[in-house]
């Protein structure tokens, strides 16, 4: 996606350090805010889940990490991610053990929220950003300053990882490293990086089909290509074996925990097809769980396969990015048991499309000539709606002030970039869309929800966001066809 670096662009590289520092500064500021479940026993929240996994992996034998035992109550934040997450938790747990063993004391450390422990946990997330920001910035050339600035201040992922508290930056960073490697034709390296992403968070499966078809497409019909495919296969098998070998005798427990079909079609008010249709058709009450699993699988495959078959026929880095976005969006909209935070997966590749010149609109420069705005408006628009869609979760975590500040800063920069194009139809639609978000926030502030519909505002948020995501899904599929 990024244009090649010219001699003049080297002088622009001096902006990379301050922009990186800006990104880290924003994340540090967010880390002073409350985290999910803070001071809310008995379950607390995702912060406690991450701490609890450290407690379990340090104190119990590996065979007990994913199964219910006297010392490991799976109903209390049982591990439900692949082996690499468990091993990461164990490493962090041993570091915590050195700093303060009480933080991971078996049974006795539940609900640990001391100030020192919060610093420890926040620092571990901050360090993981190295894996996320490095490939994200490297996918752009140093002279693409507006794109890099928007990357530095994009609020969605920092609010979840450094506010709500998770380690999404690791799986997303590994995926971006894979994209970066494939951009430079380092196929085996890219395959290994994406395999690690899959073994850290199973939601990386949202991106699996594009990786498969992008690697297979240009190689399946030549002997040299087939040799490359064999090398990739060996790389993937070796990487998976490395991650799963310690869990070989408990693999059935791991897989059962990774794919919890008993937990329902969707969680909370997520902005996808199933939650939206449930407003008028209570599908969870009408159909059995098995029927819903099959329906979700059918709709997901039907929605994502066309773009992937197109990628198989026409492989390019640009179409690869669009196929990654289309696959992730299709999974988000139609797959089984989706969280609102999962929108970060399609958002990751949409952010790489900030520099998509094919989607740029024209503006008048100082000489009166028309030149393209250096940032893709659809990518900016998607980022705004993705952040807005997580508002109910962020409100529950007492992150409303940071949400307003983060989204306000992002929209201010967007205004500066597009202020000379307010007469453009697409810019006007973008402004109306943002005003719609603003209007829903105002109504929620000043109008009390009716007693009969206490969850009306999260529902309206999910419907409004889901409508946007459906249109974006059509748009990015269209772009993959015509570009």
């Amino acid at each position: 996606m990024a244009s090649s670096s010219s001699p003049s662009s080297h002088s622009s590289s001096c902006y990379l350090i301050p922009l990186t520092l800006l990104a880290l500064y924003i994340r540090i500021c967010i880390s002073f805010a409350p985290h999910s479940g803070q001071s809310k026993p008995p379950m607390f929240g995702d912060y406690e889940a991450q701490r609890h996994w450290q407690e379990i992996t340090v104190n119990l034998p590996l065979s007990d990490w994913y199964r219910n035992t006297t010392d490991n109550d799976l109903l209390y934040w049982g591990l439900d991610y692949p082996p690499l997450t468990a091993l990461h938790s164990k490493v962090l747990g041993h570091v915590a053990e050195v700093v303060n063993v009480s933080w991971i004391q078996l049974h006795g450390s539940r609900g640990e929220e001391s100030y020192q422990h919060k610093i420890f946990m926040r620092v571990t997330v901050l360090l993981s950003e190295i894996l996320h920001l490095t490939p994200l910035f490297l996918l752009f050339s140093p002279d693409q300053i507006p794109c890099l600035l928007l990357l530095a201040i994009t609020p969605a992922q920092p609010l979840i990882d450094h506010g709500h508290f998770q380690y999404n930056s690791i799986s997303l960073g590994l995926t971006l490293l894979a994209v970066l490697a494939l951009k430079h034709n380092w196929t085996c390296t890219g395959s290994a990086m994406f395999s690690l992403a899959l073994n850290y968070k199973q939601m990386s499966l949202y991106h699996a089909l594009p990786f498969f078809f992008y690697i297979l497409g240009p190689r399946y019909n030549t002997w040299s290509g087939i040799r490359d495919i064999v090398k990739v296969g060996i790389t993937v098998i070796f990487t998976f074996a490395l991650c799963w070998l310690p869990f070989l005798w408990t693999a059935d427990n791991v897989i059962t925990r990774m794919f919890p079909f008993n937990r329902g079609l969707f969680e909370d008010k997520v902005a996808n097809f199933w939650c939206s249709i449930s407003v008028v058709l209570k599908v969870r009450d009408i159909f059995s769980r098995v029927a819903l699993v099959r329906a979700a699988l059918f709709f997901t495959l039907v929605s994502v396969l066309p773009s992937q078959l197109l990628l198989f026929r026409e492989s390019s880095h640009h179409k690869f990015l669009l196929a990654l976005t289309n696959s992730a969006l299709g999974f988000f909209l139609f797959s089984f048991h989706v969280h609102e935070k999962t929108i970060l997966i399609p958002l990751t590749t949409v952010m790489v499309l900030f520099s998509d010149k094919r989607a740029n609109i024209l503006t008048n420069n100082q000489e009166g000539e028309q030149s393209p705005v250096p940032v893709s408006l659809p990518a900016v628009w998607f980022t705004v709606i993705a952040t807005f869609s997580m508002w109910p979760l962020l409100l529950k975590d007492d992150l409303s002030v940071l949400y307003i500040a983060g989204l306000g800063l992002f929209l201010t920069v967007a205004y500066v970039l597009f202020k000379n194009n307010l007469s453009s139809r697409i810019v006007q639609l973008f402004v109306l869309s943002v005003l719609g978000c603003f209007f829903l926030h105002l109504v929620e502030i000043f109008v009390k929800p009716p007693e009969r519909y206490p969850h009306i505002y999260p529902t309206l948020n999910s419907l409004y966001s889901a409508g946007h995501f459906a249109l974006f899904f059509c748009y990015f599929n269209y772009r993959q066809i015509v570009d």
Side-chain angles (χ1 to χ4, degrees):
M1 276 312 303
S3 59
S4 12
S5 181
S6 62
S8 61
S9 71
H10 291 294
S11 61
S12 302
S13 61
C14 63
Y15 289 99
L16 284 175
I17 293 177
L19 285 173
T20 303
L21 291 175
L22 173 62
L24 293 174
Y25 174 73
I26 289 172
R27 285 154 174 79
I28 292 171
C29 289
I30 293 173
S31 68
F32 285 99
H35 53 73
S36 65
Q38 182 167 312
S39 303
K40 295 177 182 177
M43 291 300 292
F44 302 95
D46 274 359
Y47 176 94
E48 168 63 9
Q50 302 291 340
R51 187 216 59 78
H52 179 64
W53 296 345
Q54 296 171 24
E55 170 194 344
I56 292 301
T57 53
V58 167
N59 290 288
L60 299 182
L62 184 146
S63 58
D64 288 348
W65 291 359
Y66 287 92
R67 70 187 186 97
N68 202 61
T69 67
T70 306
D71 290 323
N72 185 19
D73 180 7
L74 292 181
L75 294 178
Y76 185 80
W77 299 116
L79 261 168
D80 53 7
Y81 286 119
L84 208 55
T85 289
L87 295 174
H88 175 236
S89 297
K90 184 173 179 63
V91 170
L92 294 182
H94 281 302
V95 176
E97 189 177 31
V98 172
V99 179
N100 189 333
V101 71
S102 67
W103 294 345
I104 56 160
Q105 182 183 355
L106 190 62
H107 303 310
S109 56
R110 285 194 177 186
E112 171 65 49
E113 291 183 338
S114 66
Y115 180 72
Q116 292 77 13
H117 184 255
K118 288 180 184 179
I119 293 176
F120 168 76
M121 295 289 278
R122 296 298 197 186
V123 168
T124 62
V125 180
L126 196 63
L127 290 175
S128 71
E129 283 290 354
I130 297 171
L131 194 62
H132 181 236
L133 292 175
T134 301
L136 190 58
F137 279 16
L138 288 176
L139 282 163
F140 294 81
S141 60
D143 59 341
Q144 293 176 312
I145 305 302
C147 294
L148 293 170
L149 175 59
L150 286 174
L151 291 176
I153 64 173
T154 295
Q157 180 266 334
L159 283 170
I160 295 300
D161 276 19
H162 301 272
H164 177 83
F165 200 88
Q166 285 190 329
Y167 292 94
N168 293 294
S169 53
I170 295 179
S171 59
L172 298 178
L174 288 167
T175 300
L176 289 169
L177 280 173
V179 172
L180 181 63
L182 292 184
K183 179 184 179 182
H184 293 286
N185 294 317
W186 304 333
T187 312
C188 288
T189 302
S191 301
M193 291 299 102
F194 185 64
S195 297
L196 290 174
L198 283 170
N199 281 288
Y200 191 84
K201 281 202 171 183
Q202 63 270 37
M203 280 77 75
S204 298
L205 281 168
Y206 288 20
H207 284 145
L209 287 175
F211 275 95
F212 175 78
F213 284 113
Y214 182 62
I215 292 172
L216 182 66
R219 295 176 175 84
Y220 77 99
N221 56 356
T222 66
W223 284 112
S224 61
I226 291 173
R227 283 197 298 271
D228 288 343
I229 292 171
V230 171
K231 291 177 184 177
V232 168
I234 293 172
T235 301
V236 171
I237 292 171
F238 178 78
T239 307
F240 268 78
L242 203 63
C243 295
W244 281 82
L245 191 59
F247 300 85
L248 194 59
W249 307 114
T250 186
D252 56 337
N253 291 326
V254 180
I255 294 171
T256 301
R257 292 293 301 166
M258 283 172 54
F259 300 101
F261 293 116
N262 60 331
R263 286 170 64 178
L265 184 58
F266 55 85
E267 192 153 313
D268 293 330
K269 296 294 187 289
V270 62
N272 74 351
F273 170 77
W274 299 111
C275 185
S276 299
I277 199 174
S278 293
V279 174
V280 293
L281 184 66
K282 305 300 181 184
V283 291
R284 292 187 292 187
D285 298 331
I286 298 172
F287 302 103
S288 68
R289 184 183 305 147
V290 173
L292 290 174
V293 170
R294 291 173 178 170
L297 177 62
F298 173 78
F299 277 94
T300 302
L301 290 178
V302 167
S303 68
V304 304
L305 278 179
S307 62
Q308 307 315 306
L309 294 176
L310 181 61
L311 177 65
F312 178 74
R313 289 178 53 196
E314 304 176 20
S315 290
S316 69
H317 183 70
H318 174 64
K319 286 186 179 292
F320 176 47
L321 291 174
L322 289 169
L324 285 167
T325 301
N326 289 326
S327 177
L329 255 181
F331 270 88
F332 177 82
L333 288 169
F334 298 108
S335 64
F336 192 89
H337 193 68
V338 174
H339 294 253
E340 57 270 72
K341 302 182 290 291
T342 316
I343 195 61
L344 295 178
I345 300 175
L347 176 60
T348 298
T349 47
V350 169
M351 287 163 60
V352 183
L353 290 168
F354 277 159
S355 63
D356 181 9
K357 293 182 179 180
R358 297 169 180 83
N360 288 2
I361 58 177
L362 297 177
T363 187
N364 293 321
N365 59 27
Q366 293 180 346
E367 289 75 27
E369 301 173 347
Q370 284 198 323
S371 60
V373 178
V375 176
S376 164
L377 178 60
V380 171
W381 193 346
F382 185 93
T383 304
V384 172
I385 299 300
T387 308
F388 171 76
S389 72
M390 295 188 293
W391 163 250
L393 173 68
L394 298 172
L395 178 64
K396 185 166 61 177
D397 291 340
D398 296 326
L399 295 170
S400 54
V401 173
L402 288 173
Y403 163 86
I404 294 169
L407 196 54
L409 176 62
F410 187 85
L411 286 170
T412 300
V413 174
Y415 170 76
V416 172
L417 289 170
F418 297 104
K419 65 181 180 180
N420 295 329
N421 301 87
L422 294 178
S423 59
S424 167
R425 180 68 60 85
I426 187 173
V427 175
Q428 291 174 350
L429 289 173
F430 170 62
V431 172
L432 285 174
S433 171
V434 173
L435 288 176
C437 298
F438 184 66
F439 173 76
L440 287 175
H441 281 318
L442 285 180
V443 173
E444 185 175 1
I445 292 171
F446 293 108
V447 180
K448 184 179 179 180
E451 291 185 9
R452 187 179 177 184
Y453 303 107
H455 305 297
I456 189 170
Y457 292 127
T459 302
L460 289 175
N461 178 289
S462 74
L463 289 172
Y464 190 75
S465 303
H468 279 78
F469 292 145
L471 291 174
F472 279 120
F473 181 67
C474 295
Y475 167 77
F476 286 121
N477 273 275
Y478 169 76
R479 288 286 314 285
Q480 190 178 343
I481 294 171
V482 301
D483 283 358

